[in-house]
Amino acid sequence: MARVRAPELRGRGWLNTGGRELTLSDLRGKIVLLDFWTFCCINCLHVLDELRPLEEKYGDVLVVIGVHSPKFEHEKDPDALAAAVERYGVEHPVLDDPEMGMWRQYAAKAWPTLNVIDPEGYVVAAMAGEGHAEGLRRLIDELIDEHEAKGTLHRGNGPFVPPPPSDTQFRFPGKALELPDGRILVSDSARHQLVVVDGERIGSGKRGRADGGPDQASFSEPQGMCLLPPDVAQAVGYDVVIADTVNHLLRGLRLSDLTVTTVAGTGRQWRSTLDERPHDARSMDLSSPWDVAWYQKKIIIAMAGTHTLWWFDPLKRTVGLFAGTTVEALRDGELPDVWLAQPSGLSAQGDRLWIVDSETSALRYIAGGVMKTVVGQGLFDFGLVDGPGEQALMQHPLGVCALPNGDVLVADTYNGAVRLFRDGRLSTVETGLAEPSDLVVTQGGDVLVVESAAHRLVQLSPGSVGVDAVRHRVERPVTLVKPGEVTLDVIFEPAPGQKLDFSFGDPTRLEVSASPDDLLLSGGGTGTSLRRRLVLNPAAEGGVLQVVAQAATCDAEAENAACHLTRQDWGVPIQLSAAADARLTLVLRGLEGA
């Protein structure tokens, strides 16, 4: 096979290099891992966490470079990118790619995408999605052996230069909660702590998952918090449930002595199948829980990492699926068969549970076992537009607060705004905020805003602010596909030493849908074959094909073979063209050690 020389690194600028611009020749002799990411994407955040052990283990031979190719308009702002790099603890150089030039050069089709470049400057591997840490470890070991033998591997420090430390009361706070005594509890996410305003700090301040008192306990980028009803709190021994996001855990906080305990999750990220049965909370894997709310006598979890809502019963110590199928898109209907896209904020009021779905920039609610969208049009439509719900637009909202009178406030994060939904219309009541991520209405009637990128809480100003309507649509590079009959091929490549596992029937599964719905005339739905005949509507200009594929494998030669499940979902923007190919091919690569 012909070797492919890696395209040169070019972009608007660099972060975490001390102002230095890097070229591939500067990195010759190192193994380079390019991570194409965008900071709104939960899957990209998962990969950041997966790469940390590799960066620590192979620090003298491996250089990770984040290539930031943005989805949302706000993500093109260099200051917003710099804030995100600090917020998520990115400890490697980042190339700013606002026009997605590097994305096209490396033929990326999904966030995240990884490319490995060997010490001689050739691309040796490319993979989409998350869960590749073990495969990368094996590849890096092979490249070390090969290039040490050739004399082309150069050990030593990489080009990462940490930013100067910052001194603020909070650092990228995520969510806030009023306690029974009127004090405000804040998740100080980038410092991995909880903070009582003008009071105690809870957590060591280092990434970790230890239980214990306020100095011994540790978190990893905690987000949402919820008070339990007093009778439930007395029965279970803790008062507050915390979404410990990057640890994939729920934690309990006892207010009397600020002791932290783990109440749900294993600390491993969910990579399995979903069902509606109750499961033991401490033995079930979770995936980036972002917010929590008390609704229908349970804690509802915004499970951002799987685009679903789960429930947690603190009395029975069980968890289960509440809404969603793991398909990342926008579809209403009866629970659980709805589609969500990175739910990030919850607020219960009466019989309604309000949700902000960040990746579809949507405001939605659940009542009577049915989900309905009141603002939001899809994965790639966003902006700052007031008006009737079906016309209004937001941009990646993270927080929601339902009021007793039926109104709903939304932290419209990437628009830097607070929005008000009332009587079917969305209006803007405050702008000019730095990534607001949550809202709290106090017992005294004040509205507090978590202004995350300004590292503070502010009180909402009264009155409305008039703004001009701005509409955006993501112009991600599209794949040209022939209209009419098209063959979709998902090629599965098992990890080395694994084979398809037929022990429980057909080991593969393929689910296909489209946005808009009329793009796909036939071929939608779920089946077992990884090849599917699709019919694309010639009258449609294009849209997004949602493809979810999975494959079950087992170790080929082991006496007690371990089972593995590989899963990947793609949102493929397509444009119909008579001159295009009538075949769409995607590659599902097996995960080692999954």
Side-chain angles (χ1 to χ4, degrees):
M1 181 182 296
R3 302 177 76 194
V4 178
R5 177 70 69 177
E8 187 53 84
L9 303 176
R10 294 187 177 90
R12 178 169 59 185
W14 288 86
L15 293 89
N16 285 352
T17 63
R20 177 186 175 191
E21 293 192 3
L22 301 178
T23 66
L24 286 177
S25 62
D26 297 329
L27 304 172
R28 196 61 50 83
K30 300 288 189 184
I31 300 165
V32 178
L33 173 59
L34 300 183
D35 173 20
F36 287 85
W37 70 301
T38 185
F39 65 76
C40 71
C41 168
I42 192 67
N43 309 95
C44 299
L45 302 186
H46 290 166
V47 168
L48 289 178
D49 203 48
E50 291 172 359
L51 294 181
R52 287 188 178 102
L54 297 179
E55 293 179 88
E56 183 176 351
K57 179 177 181 179
Y58 299 105
D60 63 338
V61 295
L62 174 68
V63 175
V64 176
I65 293 178
V67 182
H68 188 264
S69 305
K71 170 186 173 179
F72 285 100
E73 194 71 17
H74 176 69
E75 294 175 295
K76 296 179 182 179
D77 182 338
D79 292 334
L81 173 58
V85 167
E86 181 188 351
R87 177 196 300 270
Y88 296 119
V90 179
E91 295 186 352
H92 52 247
V94 174
L95 175 61
D96 187 4
D97 181 34
E99 303 305 321
M100 303 183 79
M102 285 289 88
W103 174 281
R104 287 186 287 270
Q105 284 285 306
Y106 281 85
K109 292 186 181 298
W111 291 287
T113 292
L114 303 173
N115 282 264
V116 180
I117 302 170
D118 73 11
E120 294 179 290
Y122 292 94
V123 177
V124 294
M127 56 204 76
E130 54 184 280
H132 297 288
E134 179 60 22
L136 286 168
R137 184 189 63 78
R138 296 191 183 203
L139 175 59
I140 292 167
D141 284 340
E142 292 173 3
L143 290 172
I144 290 173
D145 292 343
E146 175 186 348
H147 288 275
E148 276 193 326
K150 293 172 68 174
T152 50
L153 184 72
H154 302 157
R155 294 183 180 271
N157 294 331
F160 169 65
V161 177
S166 301
D167 183 19
T168 54
Q169 181 182 7
F170 307 117
R171 207 68 196 161
F172 298 103
K175 304 283 186 182
L177 173 71
E178 187 180 26
L179 299 176
D181 62 5
R183 295 189 299 169
I184 304 298
L185 182 66
V186 179
S187 56
D188 197 10
S189 301
R191 290 206 177 114
H192 317 295
Q193 290 180 320
L194 307 181
V195 179
V196 180
V197 175
D198 299 326
E200 303 89 343
R201 287 188 170 269
I202 305 158
S204 66
K206 303 292 185 182
R207 284 187 193 272
R209 46 171 295 191
D211 290 341
D215 297 327
Q216 292 76 40
S218 54
F219 302 91
S220 187
E221 299 180 31
Q223 287 285 340
M225 301 165 292
C226 176
L227 275 170
L228 291 174
D231 59 331
V232 177
Q234 184 176 8
V236 300
Y238 54 91
D239 306 275
V240 180
V241 175
I242 303 125
D244 192 3
T245 304
V246 177
N247 275 329
H248 311 295
L249 297 173
L250 296 187
R251 316 292 291 280
L253 172 67
R254 187 167 60 225
L255 293 175
S256 60
D257 59 4
L258 303 182
T259 295
V260 176
T261 57
T262 299
V263 299
T266 63
R268 297 184 299 269
Q269 185 186 339
W270 178 92
R271 298 190 191 280
S272 185
T273 55
L274 285 176
D275 60 55
E276 299 171 60
R277 295 185 297 107
H279 296 268
D280 176 70
R282 288 297 307 273
S283 65
M284 193 69 175
D285 299 343
L286 309 182
S287 183
S288 297
W290 204 278
D291 203 3
V292 284
W294 182 258
Y295 179 68
Q296 294 182 343
K297 299 183 179 180
K298 291 183 176 66
I299 290 286
I300 303 301
I301 310 164
M303 202 72 77
T306 57
H307 316 296
T308 56
L309 304 179
W310 288 27
W311 56 261
F312 164 58
D313 187 329
L315 293 170
K316 296 181 179 179
R317 302 178 184 179
T318 53
V319 294
L321 174 66
F322 184 59
T325 67
T326 75
V327 172
E328 184 183 12
L330 187 68
R331 183 175 75 180
D332 292 340
E334 294 186 0
L335 305 186
D337 300 322
V338 294
W339 294 343
L340 298 104
Q342 209 167 303
S344 302
L346 302 173
S347 182
Q349 189 62 244
D351 65 348
R352 289 192 175 186
L353 176 68
W354 289 91
I355 305 122
V356 283
D357 220 16
S358 61
E359 282 295 284
T360 54
S361 300
L363 174 63
R364 313 172 77 177
Y365 72 85
I366 291 171
V370 175
M371 178 175 285
K372 182 178 180 181
T373 299
V374 296
V375 178
Q377 299 175 20
L379 280 168
F380 301 107
D381 292 281
F382 56 90
L384 182 57
V385 178
D386 288 339
E390 62 271 16
Q391 299 172 14
L393 292 172
M394 301 185 291
Q395 186 179 181
H396 199 78
L398 291 178
V400 61
C401 181
L403 306 180
N405 66 356
D407 294 347
V408 181
L409 289 169
V410 178
D412 190 1
T413 308
Y414 286 3
N415 278 327
V418 173
R419 315 292 290 278
L420 172 67
F421 183 74
R422 171 186 291 167
D423 298 330
R425 297 181 64 86
L426 189 71
S427 61
T428 302
V429 298
E430 192 78 45
T431 58
L433 300 168
E435 295 191 10
S437 57
D438 199 21
L439 304 119
V440 176
V441 178
T442 69
Q443 299 171 41
D446 293 330
V447 179
L448 303 180
V449 183
V450 179
E451 195 177 4
S452 186
H455 319 294
R456 63 185 183 180
L457 271 64
V458 295
Q459 187 171 332
L460 183 65
S461 300
S464 297
V465 178
V467 294
D468 294 329
V470 180
R471 174 181 290 271
H472 299 291
R473 182 170 178 83
V474 172
E475 298 299 337
R476 182 154 56 121
V478 299
T479 298
L480 296 179
V481 182
K482 192 180 185 70
E485 187 171 320
V486 171
T487 299
L488 170 65
D489 266 325
V490 177
I491 300 173
F492 177 58
E493 298 178 354
Q498 295 179 20
K499 64 181 180 179
L500 286 170
D501 182 5
F502 291 86
S503 303
F504 302 98
D506 199 303
T508 58
R509 182 177 184 272
L510 179 66
E511 182 175 353
V512 181
S513 57
S515 177
D517 291 340
D518 63 0
L519 171 63
L520 190 59
L521 296 180
S522 70
T526 302
T528 56
S529 174
L530 294 183
R531 170 172 287 187
R532 181 80 60 85
R533 172 186 171 275
L534 310 179
V535 178
L536 302 178
N537 188 354
E541 294 182 0
V544 179
L545 275 181
Q546 300 286 344
V547 181
V548 182
Q550 68 181 44
T553 59
C554 61
D555 296 337
E557 304 298 335
E559 181 176 346
N560 297 305
C563 298
H564 311 271
L565 182 69
T566 300
R567 176 190 170 91
Q568 175 68 36
D569 57 81
W570 296 267
V572 183
I574 64 170
Q575 181 176 320
L576 302 185
S577 169
D581 196 355
R583 182 179 298 275
L584 176 62
T585 302
L586 301 171
V587 179
L588 177 66
R589 288 186 170 87
L591 307 182
E592 297 179 80

